[in-house]
Amino acid sequence: MELRHLRYFVTVVEEQSITKAAEKLCIAQPPLSRQIQKLEEELGITLFERGSRPVKTTEAGMFFYEHAVQILTHTAQATSMAQRINAVDKTIRIGYVSSLLYALLPQIIYLFRQRHPDVHVELIECGSRDQIEALKTGKIDLGFGRLRLSDPSIKRLLIRKERLMLAIHENHHLADHIDSGIYLSQILDEVIFSYPTTPKPNFSTLIQSIFTELGLVPKKLREAREIHMALGLVSSGEGICIIPESASDIGMKNLAYVPILDLEAYSPISLSVRNMDKSSYIPKILACLQEVFREKNIDMKIEDA
């Protein structure tokens, strides 16, 4: 059995069609069908139900699929790690979500560059959702994100729970709460802009999940393409927006910020790495994290997320 046979099989299962799988794999349909048949003969089991449209996997086939995916994932992970270790140039590719540029990430990266000038750092904008696949394929080596995502191949370290704030126009009636703060239950009738419109899960998913966790249903939730557009709409008096505390430094005109009092209203900031990655740059970046947080008098307790 070869790895390509596992890839063929996994693709057929996920596409639920020999024809679509052949197109995705860039091979002809008859050879693909023969390879699947050969795999069944080698295993001595039937992987697919005969004559089903779309293609249906048997119970034994689904069991084999789950393990085939793990084998392919671990192989890709081992390959990318071996390539990284063997790389002549010392380059660390760090994925990040754009909103973290308003937080402490730039200071952390700058300190790391000062401490380790022999290491080249390449920053790659990459959503939390996409960081998992990027880590597995070796496109990035570390990922700084905000979402509560899990994958058996990825280790997530929670480094901070950043409070959320309400961005409003400075003349909005909620401006009376700037000093006292506000609960999310008090804004259910407001037009609330969430962002971005990228594939979910994303930051807007996080906001919706907080409302759901509190048993609340906002009546006028609107999506904006990204944070600057959302805040621009708020600045124009169109509505309000929930943002991470650090994003209040964007400095758009006419805006004021109200603390959100619900304990659940926070955005987790996490560092994601490959589960079996023991590279020396990981403790080095963590040391820079701790130093920057200490300088800013921010409590940080690194824990598995």
Side-chain angles (χ1 to χ4, degrees), residues 66-126:
E66 292 171 355
H67 285 270
V69 169
Q70 291 182 26
I71 292 169
L72 292 173
T73 298
H74 290 316
T75 302
Q77 185 175 332
T79 301
S80 64
M81 281 303 302
Q83 291 171 341
R84 295 291 296 121
I85 293 170
N86 191 54
V88 177
D89 60 324
K90 295 183 179 179
T91 300
I92 299 176
R93 299 175 180 85
I94 299 177
Y96 67 94
V97 295
S98 58
S99 64
L100 289 179
L101 292 180
Y102 306 114
L104 298 177
L105 182 60
Q107 292 168 255
I108 294 164
I109 300 303
Y110 181 79
L111 179 62
F112 182 86
R113 283 177 164 144
Q114 298 300 112
R115 293 279 187 275
H116 309 284
D118 57 322
V119 179
H120 175 67
V121 177
E122 184 179 337
L123 294 175
I124 301 171
E125 185 177 358
C126 187

Side-chain angles (χ1 to χ4, degrees), residues 78 87 140 143 160 187 189:
I140 63 173
R160 189 186 178 195
I187 64 170
D189 293 325

Side-chain angles (χ1 to χ4, degrees), residues 38-255:
K38 183 179 178 182
L39 180 60
E40 287 183 318
E41 292 171 356
E42 184 175 348
L43 294 171
I45 60 175
T46 302
L47 297 171
F48 298 103
E49 294 181 7
R50 296 294 180 255
S52 60
R53 294 292 184 276
V55 173
K56 279 186 76 174
T57 313
T58 62
E59 186 177 352
M62 184 52 66
F63 175 83
F64 186 68
Y65 164 77
E66 292 171 355
H67 285 270
V69 169
Q70 291 182 26
I71 292 169
L72 292 173
T73 298
H74 290 316
T75 302
Q77 185 175 332
T79 301
S80 64
M81 281 303 302
Q83 291 171 341
R84 295 291 296 121
I85 293 170
N86 191 54
V88 177
D89 60 324
K90 295 183 179 179
T91 300
I92 299 176
R93 299 175 180 85
I94 299 177
Y96 67 94
V97 295
S98 58
S99 64
L100 289 179
L101 292 180
Y102 306 114
L104 298 177
L105 182 60
Q107 292 168 255
I108 294 164
I109 300 303
Y110 181 79
L111 179 62
F112 182 86
R113 283 177 164 144
Q114 298 300 112
R115 293 279 187 275
H116 309 284
D118 57 322
V119 179
H120 175 67
V121 177
E122 184 179 337
L123 294 175
I124 301 171
E125 185 177 358
C126 187
S128 301
R129 172 177 170 272
D130 298 324
Q131 285 180 16
I132 290 179
E133 190 62 28
L135 282 164
K136 289 180 182 179
T137 58
K139 291 181 180 178
I140 63 173
D141 303 300
L142 301 167
F144 286 92
R146 287 190 178 276
L147 301 183
R148 304 181 183 102
L149 300 174
S150 62
D151 187 282
S153 301
I154 305 301
K155 183 176 183 179
R156 225 174 114 251
L157 300 173
L158 180 64
I159 56 179
R160 189 186 178 195
K161 294 180 179 179
E162 184 178 5
R163 298 304 306 169
L164 298 177
M165 300 192 76
L166 195 64
I168 62 172
H169 190 281
E170 59 187 2
N171 294 327
H172 196 280
H173 69 89
L174 292 174
D176 295 340
H177 299 275
I178 289 176
D179 295 325
S180 59
I182 199 167
Y183 287 95
L184 291 177
S185 59
Q186 297 174 254
I187 64 170
L188 299 180
D189 293 325
E190 303 289 335
V191 174
I192 306 171
F193 291 105
S194 66
Y195 63 89
T197 54
T198 53
K200 292 177 173 54
N202 55 25
F203 187 72
S204 67
T205 313
L206 171 67
I207 299 304
Q208 183 63 67
S209 69
I210 293 172
F211 277 110
T212 301
E213 188 176 348
L214 293 169
L216 305 174
V217 180
K219 298 176 183 177
K220 303 173 185 176
L221 200 60
R222 309 278 190 268
E223 282 195 346
R225 189 175 66 247
E226 41 85 30
I227 186 171
H228 291 88
M229 179 170 286
L231 292 179
L233 291 167
V234 174
S235 181
S236 301
E238 295 289 324
I240 61 179
C241 180
I242 298 172
I243 62 170
E245 186 178 23
S246 57
S248 62
D249 290 335
I250 291 177
M252 197 169 288
K253 292 182 179 180
N254 306 323
L255 295 185

Side-chain angles (χ1 to χ4, degrees), residues 4-5 8-9 12 18-19 21-22 25 27-43 45 47-48 50:
R4 64 187 176 95
H5 296 146
Y8 293 164
F9 167 67
V12 173
I18 292 286
T19 303
L25 293 164
I27 61 177
Q29 184 175 335
L32 177 58
S33 298
R34 286 195 296 271
Q35 292 294 343
I36 295 297
Q37 186 177 1
K38 183 179 178 182
L39 180 60
E40 287 183 318
E41 292 171 356
E42 184 175 348
L43 294 171
I45 60 175
L47 297 171
F48 298 103
R50 296 294 180 255

